[in-house]
Amino acid sequence: MSNYPPSIKNLIDQFSHLPGIGPKTAERLVFYLLNQPKENLASFGLALEHIKDKIKVCRQCQNFAETDPCLICGDKKRNQKIICVVAKPQDLFALEKTNEYPGVYHVLGGVIDPLDGITPDRLKINELVERIKKDNSVEVILGLNSDMPGETTILYLTKLLKQYKIKITRLAQGLPSGSDLEYADEVTLTSALKGRREL
Ligand SMILES: [Zn+2]
């Protein structure tokens, strides 16, 4: 790889830092791009620039958005007193696709996983508690995966949030255990949301 011109080598390096992309795939992607017309490269570059310049984090729900508050938090038609807690933005977008959820969200930025060094203080849990107090929330839906870290987080949040006299529910187990919410289809997610149970 050292024989490549520096700009090619640099782009290969950049690609190989992406998850799931090894050096060989990075090389293939870069040479694919080199064979593209200049306009395509320009719009690719612009798309990257836009996620850097336009995307911010909504201070209420911690999701990525182009506005703060985001369109969901700012939507007066949505029930601001029901908060669905998810691990990552992709889970939020997956649940949104069902068109069935009337409330708002809170993105934790991960799940508790001591083996991976992720302790509760590294997640947006304080922000969640502050929000529940400020908005007088009536229900928190724990929209987390039913794998080990997901269950640990559900247990932790259930204990923590009990004192706030709110309904705490989790998604129904229509989701196969160990599965990732992000990849569940809309029908499964809709039934999981409807069949949520109180904790
Ligand atoms: Zn928001």
Side-chain angles (χ1 to χ4, degrees), residues 58 60-63 69-70 72-73:
C58 169
Q60 281 187 64
C61 68
Q62 314 294 325
N63 188 27
C70 70
I72 297 175
C73 290

Side-chain angles (χ1 to χ4, degrees), residues 63 86-93 107-110 145 180-182:
N63 188 27
V86 292
K88 53 189 192 303
Q90 297 95 303
D91 299 336
L92 182 161
F93 292 115
V107 181
L108 287 179
N145 293 332
D180 195 313
L181 219 148
E182 179 186 350

Side-chain angles (χ1 to χ4, degrees), residues 24-38:
K24 275 281 153 213
T25 309
E27 264 178 34
R28 211 170 63 234
L29 292 171
V30 169
F31 282 98
Y32 171 82
L33 289 175
L34 284 169
N35 285 315
Q36 296 299 303
K38 271 211 157 56

